[in-house]
Amino acid sequence: SIASSKPSEIVGKEGINAADMAIAAARAKRDAIVAPYYEQAGKVTLGADVVTEISKDPLVARAAKRVGNDPVYQRKLQGMAPDSVAYWQQVKRNLDAGASKAQTAGDKTAGREYIDAAKQLNEKLAAASSEYAQANAFYAKTTKDIIEPLENSVVGVIAKIKDPNAAKVAAKIFSDPNISLQELSNARATISKQNPEAWNGLVRQWMSQKLNAAMKETQTASTVNAAGKFRQSVFGTPADKQRAAIMLPSGAVKDFEDLMYAAEKLASTPIAGSNTMRDTEIKDQLKGTGAVIFKWLTSPRKAVTEAAEQRALEQGTVAITEAFIDPAKRRQLRTVVKMAPSARQA
């Protein structure tokens, strides 16, 4: 299946279509899994005060009238009363449809208003019904388990690229270490213009691939210089460094190089007693999951072996690669570069 395909196999128009179909199939699977939970929540009757409150929003009120007058929605509701959660679920779907239609038409203002109205309606239904809140929570968990891994993979990246030639070059980034600078430049120009997030996703995947390799490969039987291996995998040759300069945002190449040198220096400094102080300082500077990865990058004897460590690595990989794409997060990373190696001393 495409979910397990190599990037080099997901190319051209057929590859884009296959990627779209894979994600659509995953969403259909998720929807089928959570459907019983929403069906149960739909039977809940809302209080008159709740119905009055949610009807105050003009977009919600108009959507409710449309649901009441549309035989398609009425057929789906199968006689469910206007004060049922099921009825207002259909109202939310009408709002979602309005948002999609507005966005397709290029009306960003209307799209935002529809999205906000649907979001507020969803929150009010969850506040009024614990069953609906539980269904939402299960939906979020299932999305995280089934959809997000696919969307965050090369499949998700390819699905966002609509130009077959650009998709082919995107796949080559992962499979051909000698991809030309011109091909990279053209691909970035095309993909960024079409969908900036698609290019950012491509960069995340590319860096994640290299970081994963650096974290898993041992340099000797007992020592892992992950930061050095990560830097080498990105800047192995002058040509590799030129490719990285095209892939990464402006200024990110220097930040990346400085950070990896700083990590190497910290890793090579002998630990006197406990390294708790050093780890605490890193966490204070980086915050969040990125701190977990930087801890690994600066540990001279740390290998990723257990399943829990692997899951944390995957989460941290996303965090630290995202940090090189986001200018604000890169500024945060720069603070770590200024840390003295003596920070390792307890």
Side-chain angles (χ1 to χ4, degrees):
S1 71
I2 189 172
S4 59
S5 296
K6 297 178 181 177
S8 57
E9 298 170 347
I10 311 172
V11 299
K13 186 174 181 180
E14 290 184 3
I16 294 172
N17 290 340
D20 284 335
M21 289 174 63
I23 291 176
R27 287 174 178 161
K29 179 181 178 181
R30 177 218 34 214
D31 292 347
I33 291 172
V34 302
Y37 292 84
Y38 280 112
E39 287 174 9
Q40 187 64 32
K43 299 174 183 178
V44 173
T45 299
L46 298 171
D49 57 331
V50 174
V51 174
T52 299
E53 177 62 28
I54 59 181
S55 298
K56 289 179 180 179
D57 186 307
L59 282 180
V60 173
R62 186 176 68 179
K65 288 181 181 178
R66 288 175 174 172
V67 168
N69 295 326
D70 190 326
V72 173
Y73 285 106
Q74 288 301 310
R75 185 175 186 275
K76 192 168 184 65
L77 283 167
Q78 297 180 339
M80 296 295 287
D83 59 356
S84 66
V85 167
Y87 188 93
W88 292 96
Q89 283 178 273
Q90 296 306 314
V91 172
K92 181 182 177 300
R93 288 188 178 132
N94 185 272
L95 290 169
D96 292 336
S100 179
K101 184 177 179 180
Q103 290 173 328
T104 301
D107 190 341
K108 294 181 180 180
T109 300
R112 284 193 296 268
E113 292 303 316
Y114 273 114
I115 290 171
D116 186 61
K119 178 175 178 289
Q120 290 191 33
L121 174 59
N122 188 58
E123 291 171 352
K124 289 174 182 177
L125 290 176
S129 165
S130 60
E131 293 87 347
Y132 187 77
Q134 290 170 3
N136 277 353
F138 187 61
Y139 179 93
K141 181 183 182 303
T142 308
T143 297
K144 185 175 182 179
D145 292 343
I146 296 177
I147 309 297
E148 289 183 8
L150 198 57
E151 289 184 333
N152 292 332
S153 72
V154 69
V155 174
V157 172
I158 298 297
K160 293 175 183 175
I161 302 171
K162 302 309 177 186
D163 184 300
N165 291 327
K168 184 175 182 178
V169 176
K172 281 185 69 176
I173 290 171
F174 299 93
S175 59
D176 183 0
N178 297 314
I179 184 171
S180 74
L181 301 179
Q182 190 61 54
E183 281 183 301
L184 266 183
S185 294
N186 292 343
R188 177 170 184 172
T190 300
I191 297 170
S192 296
K193 182 178 180 181
Q194 196 178 82
N195 186 337
E197 180 49 37
W199 180 259
N200 288 341
L202 192 66
V203 174
R204 280 192 290 269
Q205 282 295 310
W206 174 71
M207 292 196 74
S208 295
Q209 184 184 68
K210 294 183 179 298
L211 178 56
N212 268 288
M215 293 303 299
K216 292 174 183 176
E217 294 176 7
T218 53
Q219 192 167 350
T220 69
S222 61
T223 302
V224 179
N225 179 10
K229 294 185 74 65
F230 190 16
R231 179 174 53 78
Q232 186 177 20
S233 68
V234 177
F235 297 154
T237 67
D240 288 337
K241 193 167 184 177
Q242 286 180 298
R243 293 186 187 97
I246 294 172
M247 293 285 293
L248 296 170
S250 176
V253 169
K254 186 177 186 307
D255 288 339
F256 173 80
E257 195 163 26
D258 288 347
L259 182 66
M260 292 305 105
Y261 275 127
E264 282 187 271
K265 189 176 292 185
L266 286 169
S268 64
T269 305
I271 299 174
S274 170
N275 63 351
T276 302
M277 183 182 298
R278 186 282 314 265
D279 293 340
T280 299
E281 184 172 350
I282 290 172
K283 288 181 180 179
D284 287 343
Q285 297 289 1
L286 288 184
K287 313 292 183 188
T289 318
V292 177
I293 284 295
F294 199 78
K295 177 181 176 181
W296 273 326
L297 287 174
T298 57
S299 293
R301 298 174 182 273
K302 181 66 180 180
V304 181
T305 54
E306 298 178 2
E309 290 178 334
Q310 179 58 40
R311 285 193 296 272
L313 168 61
E314 290 168 357
Q315 294 169 356
T317 295
V318 173
I320 203 163
T321 53
E322 175 66 28
F324 287 109
I325 295 172
D326 186 326
K329 292 179 180 177
R330 287 211 312 278
R331 285 194 294 272
Q332 197 176 27
L333 288 174
R334 288 190 200 112
T335 62
V336 178
V337 174
K338 298 177 182 178
M339 288 173 58
S342 59
R344 290 181 62 87
Q345 307 299 324

